Amino acid sequence: MSKYTVQEARDKWAVICLDPYRFISKLKIIDKKGALINFVPNKEQIKIIEALESGEDCLVLKGRQIGSSTVIAAYYFWKIYTAKSPVKFAILSHKLASSKELFKMHKTFYENLPEMFRKPTQVYNTTELTFADSGASIIATSAGADGGLRSFTCSYLQLSEYAFAPNPEELKATALNALNEGQFIMESTANYFNDALHQEILKCERGEADWKYLFFPWFMHSEFSEDCDKLEYLDGELELKNKFNLNDSQIKWRRSKIAKIGLEKFKREFPTSAQEAYSVTGNVYIPEDITSNISVIPVEPIPMVYLSKPQAQDQYAIGVDVAAGVGRDYSVIIVVSKTSYQTVAIYRSNRIVPTDLATKIIDLAVEYNNALVLVESNNYGNVVLNEMRHQGYTKIWKDSDNKDWQTTGKSKVEMFEMLKELIMKGYITAIDNITYAELRALQVDNTGRIIIPDTLSSHGDSAIAISLAYVCLNNVEIKKTLFLPDWIVSRKASKIISGSGVSVSSKKRY
């Protein structure tokens, strides 16, 4: 027999509904063994609730098994259950099946409420739960679903596994268009270096985004420990213990987990930091260990960046990746030095048309001592090459058969392999942050092809341009005038430029 009357129970429930922590603790979840249990939030989940309570947009880099998706679902089930108006919470993923899987948690919460508190629903199916009294609803959808988010706006939106979306920018734009100045929650595990989630995290770290960024290292999770009597440390374990103040039970759990899934997968799924989550090798073409001596130069995302002025005694090479100039892919020009093997100038734009790009290349080439230029001849590259020749610039890279560069499956491997070898041998010691991020995102597929992930917002334009620049640099030699007096070098350099047949102002095509 209940110790409360119906009215007392309702009054007590009304008080519980005012407090998200108390309400959530009354919900039921299905544990790892498939048993239905009370939801008792752990300390990481409590921090997520605190972040959501702030009303700020939240970005969560998930480790495995900390229950971030569960607590986000519980919090918004509370918000919608207690709402007095027809507000909407949308669960968005690139696959509808993923959204529906998260929606199942809301159904579990609802179906396991005490019967007297299970409010009537207006709509209740595999993708929607709408309460009859308020019209407030929880909806599971995807960008590709019929109607998707285009048919309504929502007050709260959870974007799940953003790092794995094939078109993350489009997915994010869809979410922002549907969100009615409400709260945006993005959560995902790491995929690969410079994936869409990583780019958002880096923006947070640079102070360029308004996300409330949440990350929980594995050792914060109290369940990640294993009983042990006395532990003899293996390589690196004592250093790890001292660095993160771990106990032997945590070290033992980590060791057992690595034995089951391997170190690489452990770092991805149970990282100690975002940097570690994105340091895994896997199918990465240029892993972190071979770039450990590279200085990453921070540059602003502006069209023209000079890292070093042209030196009269130096020779230069230029690599160019060409785009249409319609606001999508970038045209990139990268200038590298023969004496230092480092990048000295970068031009990036997704608005410059090919004919104007040709003029920009010539201007930079002349500025950098009549540099040798390699332009990829694929697609719009032919337009650029024709315009450069029309304007009279002749120092254009050719292969042994006197043909322009064409990127094929074979030549792509050759150019990236050359770049990788220069990095490994220590010739290249500094790369700008944008190009570095693109290079680290390169992957090798199951057939051995080097691929540029479709989810990169830049489409690897800088990675291609710098690779072409070093292919071109291979055909550049330091002239013997390097050892002549400066006044002779200066006079000879001027003579070379004046005699090259270049007169941009007189030959520019309008």
Side-chain angles (χ1 to χ4, degrees):
M1 183 175 177
S2 173
K3 61 180 179 179
Y4 298 112
T5 65
V6 171
Q7 187 57 49
E8 287 173 336
R10 292 187 184 281
D11 292 342
K12 185 176 178 64
W13 182 249
V15 173
I16 290 171
C17 286
L18 297 174
D19 184 344
Y21 298 95
R22 292 186 66 188
F23 181 90
I24 288 170
S25 68
K26 300 298 181 183
L27 299 177
K28 301 284 187 180
I29 61 171
I30 298 173
D31 69 8
K32 299 168 190 175
K33 298 178 180 179
L36 192 66
I37 61 171
N38 288 324
F39 182 23
V40 181
N42 58 43
K43 60 183 179 181
E44 297 100 311
Q45 291 170 327
I46 289 172
K47 286 186 178 294
I48 292 174
I49 296 172
E50 291 171 352
L52 296 174
E53 277 282 85
S54 73
E56 296 179 69
D57 294 341
C58 296
L59 176 65
V60 184
L61 173 58
K62 299 194 300 183
R64 294 291 181 191
Q65 300 175 15
I66 67 166
S68 58
S69 296
T70 304
V71 75
I72 290 170
Y75 179 80
Y76 282 103
F77 181 80
W78 167 73
K79 291 285 283 188
I80 299 305
Y81 180 90
T82 59
K84 305 299 182 185
S85 60
V87 294
K88 289 183 175 66
F89 170 60
I91 305 166
L92 176 65
S93 183
H94 64 287
K95 292 182 178 180
L96 183 58
S98 300
S99 297
K100 290 171 75 172
E101 195 64 31
L102 291 173
F103 182 73
K104 285 181 182 178
M105 287 192 280
H106 295 269
K107 295 186 73 174
T108 299
F109 299 150
Y110 176 73
E111 291 170 0
N112 290 283
L113 287 172
E115 186 174 354
M116 67 183 301
F117 302 131
R118 211 176 302 145
K119 299 198 302 182
T121 60
Q122 180 180 322
V123 180
Y124 189 48
N125 54 40
T126 59
T127 60
E128 182 177 350
L129 188 166
T130 300
F131 290 111
D133 60 346
S134 63
S137 59
I138 301 164
I139 299 173
T141 188
S142 70
D146 291 342
L149 289 176
R150 294 177 179 84
S151 58
F152 64 85
T153 58
C154 55
S155 298
Y156 315 103
L157 189 143
Q158 176 187 1
L159 178 51
S160 180
E161 293 299 359
Y162 181 60
F164 295 85
N167 297 297
E169 289 301 317
E170 181 181 338
L171 191 65
K172 183 181 174 184
T174 300
L176 290 172
N177 287 336
L179 196 56
N180 187 23
E181 297 184 1
Q183 190 173 29
F184 191 3
I185 305 91
M186 185 186 292
E187 47 89 17
S188 180
T189 46
N191 190 3
Y192 58 83
F193 192 93
N194 202 39
D195 64 27
L197 177 71
H198 194 202
Q199 292 176 37
E200 296 295 331
I201 292 170
L202 293 176
K203 287 177 188 176
C204 291
E205 293 176 348
R206 294 194 298 263
E208 298 172 2
D210 294 329
W211 296 108
K212 192 175 187 66
Y213 170 49
L214 299 166
F215 168 75
F216 305 101
W218 68 264
F219 49 80
M220 277 188 64
H221 197 54
S222 58
E223 291 184 19
F224 295 164
S225 64
E226 187 175 323
D227 291 339
C228 62
D229 295 325
K230 187 176 181 181
L231 198 66
E232 292 186 6
Y233 302 117
L234 303 178
D235 288 347
E237 288 183 340
L238 183 58
E239 180 183 354
L240 195 72
K241 177 181 179 178
N242 293 333
K243 182 177 181 180
F244 296 112
N245 194 29
L246 306 181
N247 57 47
D248 286 356
S249 295
Q250 290 172 308
I251 294 289
K252 183 67 165 58
W253 176 87
R254 175 182 179 273
R255 186 188 297 178
S256 299
K257 201 70 177 177
I258 289 172
K260 292 177 182 177
I261 66 175
L263 181 59
E264 288 284 300
K265 194 172 182 181
F266 181 86
K267 286 182 178 180
R268 186 191 299 274
E269 299 192 358
F270 303 97
T272 59
S273 65
Q275 182 180 2
E276 183 173 77
Y278 284 102
S279 70
V280 295
T281 303
N283 58 346
V284 173
Y285 178 65
I286 301 179
E288 185 182 41
D289 59 346
I290 74 167
T291 64
S292 57
N293 293 322
I294 292 285
S295 297
V296 180
I297 305 168
V299 300
E300 295 294 325
I302 56 177
M304 191 68 234
V305 176
Y306 287 97
L307 301 177
S308 178
K309 294 180 180 179
Q311 303 299 310
Q313 297 177 335
D314 203 351
Q315 299 296 314
Y316 299 91
I318 293 177
V320 185
D321 184 53
V322 184
V326 294
R328 300 182 67 182
D329 291 8
Y330 279 75
S331 289
V332 181
I333 307 170
I334 291 186
V335 188
V336 293
S337 158
K338 184 66 176 184
T339 56
S340 70
Y341 269 74
Q342 308 311 309
T343 300
V344 294
I346 307 161
Y347 177 82
R348 293 185 179 95
S349 173
N350 62 355
R351 290 293 178 184
I352 190 168
V353 297
T355 50
D356 290 341
L357 180 66
T359 301
K360 185 65 183 178
I361 295 167
I362 293 172
D363 290 344
L364 272 172
V366 172
E367 183 178 1
Y368 280 89
N369 301 349
N370 229 32
L372 184 65
V373 179
L374 193 162
V375 178
E376 183 183 34
S377 64
N378 303 46
N379 303 318
Y380 294 101
N382 284 317
V383 177
V384 173
L385 287 165
N386 290 338
E387 181 66 16
M388 289 178 68
R389 288 175 176 129
H390 173 80
Q391 293 191 33
Y393 197 82
T394 58
K395 289 199 66 176
I396 298 174
W397 182 95
K398 293 275 192 178
D399 66 13
S400 58
D401 295 324
N402 200 37
K403 294 181 179 179
D404 295 317
W405 175 274
Q406 188 169 25
T407 301
T408 63
K410 181 181 178 182
S411 65
K412 181 189 283 188
V413 171
E414 290 173 354
M415 73 186 196
F416 281 131
E417 278 294 295
M418 177 180 287
L419 178 73
K420 188 175 182 179
E421 184 177 5
L422 290 171
I423 293 171
M424 292 174 68
K425 290 184 174 179
Y427 284 90
I428 301 172
T429 59
I431 301 176
D432 72 279
N433 57 310
I434 297 172
T435 305
Y436 177 83
E438 290 185 16
L439 290 171
R440 289 279 285 109
L442 294 175
Q443 297 184 30
V444 181
D445 69 10
N446 294 331
T447 66
R449 294 183 305 124
I450 299 170
I451 58 173
I452 298 166
D454 293 334
T455 53
L456 280 182
S457 58
S458 60
H459 304 98
D461 313 306
S462 296
I464 292 171
I466 196 171
S467 299
L468 293 175
Y470 284 106
V471 170
C472 187
L473 192 67
N474 197 45
N475 285 26
V476 173
E477 295 182 1
I478 294 292
K479 295 187 177 181
K480 293 179 181 178
T481 53
L482 180 67
F483 304 102
L484 294 176
D486 289 345
W487 68 273
I488 297 178
V489 173
S490 178
R491 180 177 296 177
K492 288 175 74 69
S494 298
K495 187 176 180 182
I496 290 169
I497 294 173
S498 63
S500 66
V502 179
S503 179
V504 175
S505 59
S506 64
K507 294 197 175 187
K508 183 174 179 179
R509 180 182 291 167
Y510 292 97

